[in-house]
Amino acid sequence: SAFQLFMDLVDIECITVVGAAFSSMEDHAWNMVKLEGEWYCVDPGWNKAGEDSHLYFNVTSQYMADTDHQWDYENVPLATATRFGLPDPAPMGMEVDVGDGEHTFWVEISRREEQEKGSGIPILVSIMDRDKGETLQSFEEEVTLYSFDMAEPFTEDVNFDGCADFGHGLWLAASCGGSAYYVWDKEQEKFVRDPYGLEKLSMPTFHQESKAIETWNHSGNSYVKEFYRYLDGTLTCIRRLDNRENDLDDGTATLTVEDYDVEKGELREVYREENVLIGGVTYADTDEFRRWENLDYHGT
């Protein structure tokens, strides 16, 4: 590669690692350089122009494994050093107005020092008095993301009580991702770390009008879409749409819908279509199956 050639020209020990990407299983190659006796990983192919142009510059083997890389672990040097890695990024912050006319805060996310036991990015979430700047609450987290900036904070009313809560990116996989949430408690007048279990939800969308949470998870030609509501204060899946490619490899899928049975306290199947052609699109689809995305629809 060009990077390998350049390292050879400047007399820096460098090797090329041939592996694959977890998400696609396609062949992929990157480099490792040896600086003052310690190995570092560099992936010029996945670095990109812009603010995140050095996501894979002088990083550890663990970081590469956490960010969609796989290789022959036994026959490639282990990179554990961080001395010549990039300096810690600047903290990210935003103002959070709870919306009750009384409470406005400054939320800041900064990177903590590396922890030996973890494989993610250690961060500190600080909730400060907007005017005085003093820290009122803090949470230590470890996020499994490709880069620190993906933990950027955002606001969202996650429990539909009219007060602003906030969150940040927490985990990311090949086809899904989730966030950590901090929910405003009116009685305690402080933020509480996710009392509902929202962080397990994949790519949630909070629909304020219907007070429902829609999630999405996909793999290949299959996907699952779920809808949640708070029933007696408990986060509950009230509908699941499963669009699953059949194992027969015949280009068809089975479409099912499950609704929450209040009496039994569980989901039960209410609709099924079998052997639906996937055709030239990513997923199989029918008009009737799409109608079930409307929570007011309960079949013809």
Side-chain angles (χ1 to χ4, degrees):
S1 68
F3 184 85
Q4 176 77 61
L5 178 60
F6 180 69
M7 292 296 100
D8 292 343
L9 289 174
V10 295
D11 199 27
I12 293 178
E13 186 173 354
C14 177
I15 62 173
T16 298
V17 180
V18 178
F22 268 120
S23 59
S24 63
M25 298 304 292
E26 294 181 353
D27 290 343
H28 181 59
W30 58 94
N31 300 96
M32 295 185 71
V33 294
K34 198 172 189 180
L35 305 174
E36 296 190 6
E38 296 181 306
W39 286 102
Y40 297 81
C41 299
V42 182
D43 189 346
W46 279 14
N47 280 332
K48 58 184 179 180
E51 294 181 358
D52 298 332
S53 60
H54 296 92
L55 293 180
Y56 304 97
F57 178 79
N58 286 1
V59 297
T60 64
S61 296
Q62 184 63 62
Y63 180 89
M64 298 293 277
D66 290 340
T67 54
D68 208 21
H69 294 74
Q70 61 176 327
W71 63 94
D72 183 357
Y73 306 105
E74 294 184 359
N75 296 310
V76 174
L78 181 66
T80 59
T82 58
R83 178 183 175 191
F84 292 109
L86 292 178
D88 289 344
M92 301 178 291
M94 68 171 185
E95 183 178 285
V96 177
D97 184 346
V98 172
D100 59 1
E102 298 181 15
H103 300 90
T104 303
F105 304 93
W106 179 257
V107 171
E108 185 172 279
I109 295 180
S110 57
R111 181 162 182 163
R112 295 186 288 117
E113 294 183 3
E114 293 288 348
Q115 296 176 335
E116 294 182 0
K117 64 179 181 180
S119 60
I121 302 172
I123 66 171
L124 178 67
V125 180
S126 301
I127 303 169
M128 307 176 184
D129 185 292
R130 183 192 58 177
D131 300 319
K132 298 179 180 179
E134 63 182 67
T135 300
L136 305 175
Q137 292 180 259
S138 63
F139 300 85
E140 291 187 354
E141 302 282 356
E142 188 171 287
V143 298
T144 308
L145 302 168
Y146 293 167
S147 62
F148 169 75
D149 67 289
M150 297 182 74
E152 184 175 4
F154 58 85
T155 58
E156 185 72 72
D157 181 3
V158 301
N159 57 355
F160 313 114
D161 66 349
C163 293
D165 312 301
F166 76 92
H168 61 75
L170 180 65
W171 59 273
L172 188 66
S175 59
C176 55
S179 298
Y181 298 94
Y182 306 83
V183 181
W184 179 250
D185 188 305
K186 296 179 181 178
E187 294 184 0
Q188 300 186 64
E189 294 189 324
K190 68 178 184 178
F191 289 97
V192 178
R193 173 68 163 82
D194 192 3
Y196 307 111
L198 293 164
E199 67 179 45
K200 69 181 180 181
L201 303 184
S202 173
M203 304 173 68
T205 300
F206 296 84
H207 298 288
Q208 298 297 320
E209 185 174 344
S210 62
K211 296 185 177 181
I213 305 169
E214 178 181 342
T215 71
W216 165 264
N217 196 346
H218 73 97
S219 177
N221 295 113
S222 304
Y223 74 81
V224 175
K225 184 176 288 190
E226 295 180 328
F227 295 86
Y228 291 79
R229 279 190 172 136
Y230 297 104
L231 302 183
D232 296 326
T234 301
L235 183 67
T236 305
C237 180
I238 60 169
R239 177 168 292 178
R240 176 184 292 130
L241 281 69
D242 194 338
N243 186 328
R244 191 166 301 277
E245 183 179 16
N246 291 325
D247 295 332
L248 300 176
D249 195 27
D250 59 355
T252 66
T254 298
L255 314 181
T256 61
V257 179
E258 296 174 284
D259 269 355
Y260 184 72
D261 188 317
V262 177
E263 293 183 359
K264 294 184 177 181
E266 61 184 17
L267 291 168
R268 63 179 182 85
E269 187 174 297
V270 295
Y271 177 77
R272 171 179 287 263
E273 284 187 78
E274 297 184 345
N275 301 318
V276 180
L277 288 175
I278 296 175
V281 297
T282 306
Y283 309 110
D285 193 19
T286 66
D287 290 339
E288 178 64 16
F289 187 64
R290 284 201 306 270
R291 290 189 184 100
W292 288 91
E293 295 183 7
N294 179 355
L295 293 179
D296 293 327
Y297 182 75
H298 297 282
T300 55

